[in-house]
Amino acid sequence: MSKILEGLKYSESHEWVKVEGNVAYIGVSDFAQKEMGDITYVDLPAEGDDVVAGEEFGALESVKAASDLFSPVSGVVVAVNGELEDTPEKVNEDAYAAWIIKVEMSNPSEVDALMDAAAYQSFIGE
């Protein structure tokens, strides 16, 4: 059974969002990393890049597959987790500690359209 954290929001494309003020930390769910297997590469955007809710901002590659990452919120990338460039396996070790990008949200209400932990658990069927 996948770990799902209370207090986070989840997208149908398996990204999680942790909101702190106007900043959203974005990563991939435990379910997503398990489905992918051993993560071998994380394609990160640059700081200052714009992201749009529902649009691609990067990708994960594993020994099994490549998977695009979709931003659950719109805004500007204010930080990327550069540690993942050298140690992408951190996503497998703890998907919720290994955030991928931090976004200063341009429309914080977009978070309201995302699933809470219970809805996400139902969505993935666990």
Side-chain angles (χ1 to χ4, degrees):
M1 184 160 231
S2 299
K3 182 165 76 170
I4 300 171
L5 297 186
E6 292 289 339
L8 301 180
K9 292 290 195 164
Y10 298 87
S11 69
E12 290 187 2
S13 52
H14 306 290
E15 286 82 17
W16 57 261
V17 178
K18 176 182 170 187
V19 176
E20 290 187 354
N22 198 42
V23 174
Y25 289 77
I26 300 170
V28 296
S29 71
D30 189 52
F31 175 81
Q33 70 81 18
K34 282 183 180 172
E35 290 289 301
M36 288 197 69
D38 293 336
I39 306 291
T40 56
Y41 178 73
V42 181
D43 180 24
L44 298 166
E47 287 183 22
D49 282 0
D50 289 325
V51 293
V52 177
E55 293 191 8
E56 181 186 335
F57 72 83
L60 293 179
E61 293 180 15
S62 73
V63 291
K64 293 193 326 191
S67 181
D68 290 335
L69 297 167
F70 296 93
S71 185
V73 296
S74 302
V76 176
V77 177
V78 293
V80 298
N81 189 345
E83 191 176 57
L84 298 179
E85 290 179 316
D86 296 325
T87 53
E89 63 274 8
K90 287 192 176 289
V91 175
N92 295 119
E93 292 166 9
D94 187 343
Y96 297 109
W99 58 274
I100 297 170
I101 60 173
K102 287 195 315 196
V103 173
E104 186 173 326
M105 294 182 285
S106 57
N107 184 0
S109 67
E110 289 173 335
V111 172
D112 299 338
L114 301 172
M115 293 177 274
D116 64 13
Y120 183 68
Q121 186 163 1
S122 176
F123 177 73
I124 62 173
E126 291 191 359

